[in-house]
Amino acid sequence: MNLRPLGDRVVIKKVEAEETTKSGIVLPGAAKEKPQIAEVIAVGPGGVVDGKEIQMQVKVGDKVIFSKYSGNEVKVDGEEYTILRQDDILAIVE
Amino acid sequence: MNLRPLGDRVVIKKVEAEETTKSGIVLPGAAKEKPQIAEVIAVGPGGVVDGKEIQMQVKVGDKVIFSKYSGNEVKVDGEEYTILRQDDILAIVE
Amino acid sequence: MNLRPLGDRVVIKKVEAEETTKSGIVLPGAAKEKPQIAEVIAVGPGGVVDGKEIQMQVKVGDKVIFSKYSGNEVKVDGEEYTILRQDDILAIVE
Amino acid sequence: MNLRPLGDRVVIKKVEAEETTKSGIVLPGAAKEKPQIAEVIAVGPGGVVDGKEIQMQVKVGDKVIFSKYSGNEVKVDGEEYTILRQDDILAIVE
Amino acid sequence: MNLRPLGDRVVIKKVEAEETTKSGIVLPGAAKEKPQIAEVIAVGPGGVVDGKEIQMQVKVGDKVIFSKYSGNEVKVDGEEYTILRQDDILAIVE
Amino acid sequence: MNLRPLGDRVVIKKVEAEETTKSGIVLPGAAKEKPQIAEVIAVGPGGVVDGKEIQMQVKVGDKVIFSKYSGNEVKVDGEEYTILRQDDILAIVE
Amino acid sequence: MNLRPLGDRVVIKKVEAEETTKSGIVLPGAAKEKPQIAEVIAVGPGGVVDGKEIQMQVKVGDKVIFSKYSGNEVKVDGEEYTILRQDDILAIVE
């Protein structure tokens, strides 16, 4: 079963805290809008969204940092995903 | 009796929880703006909505995930439907 | 006495609950922004509204579903009407 | 003494309740944003307002229905007027 | 000492209550956003303000009605002035 | 050490109260959004800001009146400055 | 590990308070939206962001002043960074 996001939306899967620690990335726990690291699972086609041409900047497999309270969480086939707009992705981690 | 949505609106019918479980999709119960899975019943013509050209990306029969608190609920001929804007649909489930 | 709505406004008259039941349409009572069914009585000319070209999609006699808290209620010649923007009409019932 | 409204503003004078009853128009007292009937006294020139071209649709002498809490009230030569934007006028009564 | 307002701003000086009464204009005291009468002292050049071309409609010496809570008050050489945007001026009194 | 403001931002330095009194400008103490007088220290280049072309209207050395709660305060080399957008400057004092 | 910001976002690293004092820049502690000094670590590509063409004005190594509550904080490889939009940068310190 696949999720095919619409417009400028992106499906991401949060990287587990353990894995996060291993990769050396630690997120502050008390930050009000604390960022999150995740892997991009699916990317919408972009195009005209709300009257504006959006080009997608992320691709499947990218590790990204995003704002925690953006997006919607959904569980598919027992896996939890987050669906958010590309604009809620802050940076790609390389 | 049919519902013909205007502009970029879409009529959807929520997939029952039992059916959801069978298809392997489980939605977290406590999420504040928890997404929902539904089937597309009718699609508006799109066109210029609020001064912006909208092209419809979903079609009748699509299974979609949407934000729970978006849209309006209505009961027609004993069936409950939700009418929302296409932009409140997050992804198509395939 | 007639009401001639301006711009993208539409004058509608709510269909009585009894009549609603006969037509098989029942609206949930507890929905926060519960939709309503009504008949279109008068339609504004559309045109440029707030800098955007609006084309009217509904016509006199259409049965429509709209969001309850949108629009203004007015009583003319003893009859109650609602005046709302076309964008507050969700769908046409056929 | 005259009031010459700027841009898309319109000067209206509320029709007295007695007169309202005679014309058969009664306004519900408990509506939260209850509409009002009034006569148009002066009409702004329209033109570009907030970057949008506005064409005036009402003329002096029109009877109009408007939203109660829109506009500003002012007393000139002992008479009370309301100055509002044309967009706050819902319909012309004929 | 002169005030030269920027963009679409206008410097006005409120007309004293006594003078107001003499001219026959009385403003209701309890109105929440009560209008005010004032004389235009200086007018900005207009031009492109917030991306929109603004043409100034008022000139020095005009008597105008404006919304009370709009604008900023300032005292220069012992005189109190209000600086507001032209769009907060409702009408010219003639 | 210099501050080079970005876009339509302007660095200003408040004129001391004593100096203010000498120049005859007194600001009302109780005004909710009380204006301030200041000298322009540095001016951003203008250009396209938030998608709109901004032309700078003030220059270094201008005395300006601005809204108190706009802008950010910063202390550089022991001197306090305010950095605000040009649109928060109400008028130039000449 | 690198952070590659998207669109008009910028990665900055706050300059320590000690260093701040040495450079002679002191920030007021009680300011509600108190500015911060930081060094630019990475700069997004700019381009069309939210339908507007953004040109990046800052470069890696710039010392900048920004509004404290803008942006998101993230810790990478034990170092704390802030990711914000270029528009939240007030000025470059030279």
Side-chain angles (χ1 to χ4, degrees):
Chain A
M1 179 174 294
N2 284 318
L3 289 176
R4 183 155 62 83
L6 292 185
D8 61 341
R9 285 200 170 89
V10 177
V11 180
I12 58 177
K13 185 168 170 49
K14 289 180 193 169
V15 175
E16 294 298 319
E18 295 77 32
E19 182 179 345
T20 307
T21 306
K22 269 185 288 181
S23 68
I25 293 173
V26 187
L27 300 166
K32 203 179 166 190
E33 185 196 358
K34 66 176 155 174
Q36 304 278 338
I37 192 159
E39 184 177 341
V40 174
I41 300 299
V43 179
V48 179
V49 177
D50 195 32
K52 297 160 196 156
E53 178 72 30
I54 306 281
Q55 300 217 337
M56 303 310 287
Q57 313 285 335
V58 297
K59 60 182 190 305
V60 173
D62 280 349
K63 293 282 176 27
V64 296
I65 293 182
F66 65 100
S67 299
K68 183 181 183 181
Y69 295 110
S70 58
N72 290 275
E73 301 188 352
V74 60
K75 206 181 254 190
V76 177
D77 295 342
E79 298 277 341
E80 275 192 22
Y81 299 100
T82 298
I83 304 176
L84 39 58
R85 295 183 182 278
Q86 179 178 257
D87 193 53
D88 290 320
I89 296 178
L90 306 173
I92 298 175
V93 183
E94 291 175 330
Chain B
M1 180 173 295
N2 284 318
L3 289 176
R4 183 156 61 83
L6 292 185
D8 61 341
R9 286 201 170 88
V10 176
V11 180
I12 59 178
K13 185 169 170 49
K14 290 180 191 169
V15 175
E16 293 298 319
E18 295 77 31
E19 182 179 347
T20 307
T21 305
K22 269 186 289 180
S23 68
I25 293 174
V26 186
L27 299 168
K32 203 178 166 189
E33 185 196 358
K34 66 176 156 173
Q36 304 277 338
I37 192 159
E39 185 177 340
V40 174
I41 300 299
V43 179
V48 179
V49 177
D50 196 32
K52 296 159 197 156
E53 179 72 29
I54 307 281
Q55 300 218 336
M56 303 311 286
Q57 313 285 335
V58 296
K59 60 183 190 303
V60 173
D62 280 349
K63 293 282 175 30
V64 296
I65 293 182
F66 65 101
S67 299
K68 183 182 182 181
Y69 295 110
S70 58
N72 290 275
E73 300 188 352
V74 60
K75 205 182 253 188
V76 178
D77 295 343
E79 299 277 340
E80 275 192 24
Y81 299 100
T82 298
I83 305 175
L84 38 58
R85 295 182 182 278
Q86 179 178 257
D87 193 53
D88 291 320
I89 296 178
L90 306 174
I92 298 175
V93 183
E94 290 175 331
Chain C
M1 181 174 295
N2 283 318
L3 290 175
R4 183 156 60 84
L6 291 185
D8 61 340
R9 286 201 170 85
V10 177
V11 180
I12 59 178
K13 186 168 169 48
K14 290 181 192 170
V15 175
E16 294 298 319
E18 294 77 33
E19 184 179 344
T20 308
T21 305
K22 268 186 290 180
S23 69
I25 293 174
V26 186
L27 299 167
K32 203 179 166 188
E33 184 196 359
K34 65 176 157 172
Q36 304 277 338
I37 193 161
E39 185 177 341
V40 175
I41 301 298
V43 179
V48 179
V49 177
D50 196 31
K52 296 158 196 156
E53 179 73 29
I54 307 281
Q55 301 218 335
M56 303 310 286
Q57 313 285 334
V58 296
K59 61 182 191 301
V60 173
D62 279 349
K63 292 283 176 29
V64 296
I65 292 182
F66 65 101
S67 299
K68 183 181 183 180
Y69 294 109
S70 58
N72 290 274
E73 300 188 352
V74 61
K75 205 182 254 189
V76 178
D77 294 344
E79 299 276 341
E80 276 192 24
Y81 298 100
T82 298
I83 305 176
L84 39 56
R85 295 183 181 277
Q86 180 179 257
D87 193 53
D88 290 320
I89 296 178
L90 307 174
I92 298 176
V93 183
E94 291 174 330
Chain D
M1 180 173 295
N2 282 319
L3 289 175
R4 183 156 61 84
L6 291 186
D8 61 341
R9 286 201 168 87
V10 176
V11 180
I12 59 177
K13 186 169 168 48
K14 290 180 192 171
V15 175
E16 294 299 319
E18 295 77 33
E19 184 179 343
T20 308
T21 306
K22 267 186 290 181
S23 69
I25 294 174
V26 186
L27 301 167
K32 203 180 167 188
E33 185 196 0
K34 65 177 157 171
Q36 304 277 337
I37 193 160
E39 185 176 343
V40 174
I41 301 299
V43 179
V48 179
V49 177
D50 195 32
K52 297 159 197 156
E53 179 73 29
I54 307 281
Q55 300 217 337
M56 304 310 287
Q57 313 285 335
V58 297
K59 60 181 191 302
V60 173
D62 280 350
K63 292 284 176 29
V64 296
I65 292 181
F66 66 101
S67 299
K68 183 181 183 181
Y69 294 109
S70 57
N72 290 275
E73 300 188 351
V74 62
K75 205 182 253 189
V76 178
D77 294 343
E79 298 276 341
E80 277 192 24
Y81 300 100
T82 299
I83 304 176
L84 39 58
R85 295 183 182 278
Q86 180 179 257
D87 193 53
D88 290 319
I89 297 178
L90 306 174
I92 298 175
V93 183
E94 291 175 329
Chain E
M1 179 173 296
N2 283 319
L3 290 175
R4 184 156 61 84
L6 291 185
D8 61 341
R9 286 200 168 88
V10 177
V11 180
I12 59 177
K13 186 168 170 48
K14 290 179 192 171
V15 175
E16 295 298 319
E18 295 77 31
E19 182 179 345
T20 308
T21 306
K22 268 186 289 181
S23 69
I25 294 174
V26 186
L27 301 165
K32 203 181 166 187
E33 185 195 359
K34 66 176 155 172
Q36 303 278 338
I37 192 160
E39 184 177 343
V40 174
I41 301 298
V43 179
V48 178
V49 177
D50 195 34
K52 297 158 196 156
E53 179 73 30
I54 307 281
Q55 300 218 336
M56 303 310 287
Q57 314 285 334
V58 296
K59 60 181 191 302
V60 173
D62 280 350
K63 292 282 178 26
V64 296
I65 292 181
F66 65 101
S67 299
K68 182 181 184 181
Y69 294 110
S70 58
N72 290 275
E73 300 188 352
V74 62
K75 204 182 254 189
V76 178
D77 295 342
E79 297 277 341
E80 276 192 23
Y81 300 100
T82 298
I83 305 177
L84 39 57
R85 295 183 182 279
Q86 180 179 256
D87 193 52
D88 291 319
I89 296 178
L90 307 173
I92 298 175
V93 183
E94 291 175 331
Chain F
M1 179 174 294
N2 283 319
L3 289 175
R4 184 156 61 83
L6 291 185
D8 62 341
R9 286 200 169 88
V10 177
V11 179
I12 60 176
K13 185 168 170 49
K14 290 180 192 170
V15 176
E16 296 297 320
E18 295 77 32
E19 182 178 346
T20 308
T21 306
K22 269 187 290 181
S23 69
I25 293 174
V26 186
L27 300 166
K32 204 181 166 187
E33 185 195 359
K34 66 176 154 173
Q36 303 279 337
I37 193 160
E39 185 177 343
V40 174
I41 301 298
V43 178
V48 178
V49 177
D50 195 33
K52 296 159 195 156
E53 179 72 30
I54 306 281
Q55 300 218 336
M56 303 310 287
Q57 313 285 335
V58 297
K59 60 181 189 303
V60 173
D62 280 350
K63 293 282 177 30
V64 296
I65 292 182
F66 65 101
S67 299
K68 182 181 184 181
Y69 295 109
S70 57
N72 290 274
E73 300 189 351
V74 61
K75 205 182 254 190
V76 178
D77 295 341
E79 298 276 342
E80 275 191 24
Y81 299 100
T82 299
I83 305 177
L84 40 55
R85 295 183 181 280
Q86 180 179 254
D87 193 52
D88 291 319
I89 296 178
L90 307 173
I92 298 175
V93 183
E94 292 174 330
Chain G
M1 179 174 294
N2 283 318
L3 289 175
R4 184 155 62 82
L6 292 185
D8 61 341
R9 286 200 169 88
V10 177
V11 180
I12 59 177
K13 185 167 169 50
K14 289 181 192 170
V15 176
E16 295 298 319
E18 294 77 33
E19 182 179 345
T20 307
T21 306
K22 268 186 290 181
S23 69
I25 293 173
V26 187
L27 300 166
K32 204 180 166 188
E33 186 196 358
K34 67 175 154 174
Q36 304 278 339
I37 192 160
E39 184 177 342
V40 174
I41 301 299
V43 179
V48 178
V49 177
D50 195 33
K52 297 160 196 157
E53 179 72 30
I54 306 282
Q55 300 218 337
M56 302 311 287
Q57 313 285 335
V58 297
K59 59 182 190 304
V60 173
D62 280 350
K63 293 282 176 29
V64 296
I65 293 182
F66 65 101
S67 298
K68 182 181 184 181
Y69 295 110
S70 57
N72 290 275
E73 301 188 351
V74 60
K75 206 182 255 189
V76 178
D77 295 342
E79 299 276 342
E80 276 192 22
Y81 299 100
T82 299
I83 305 176
L84 39 56
R85 295 182 182 280
Q86 180 179 255
D87 193 52
D88 291 319
I89 296 179
L90 306 173
I92 298 175
V93 183
E94 291 175 330

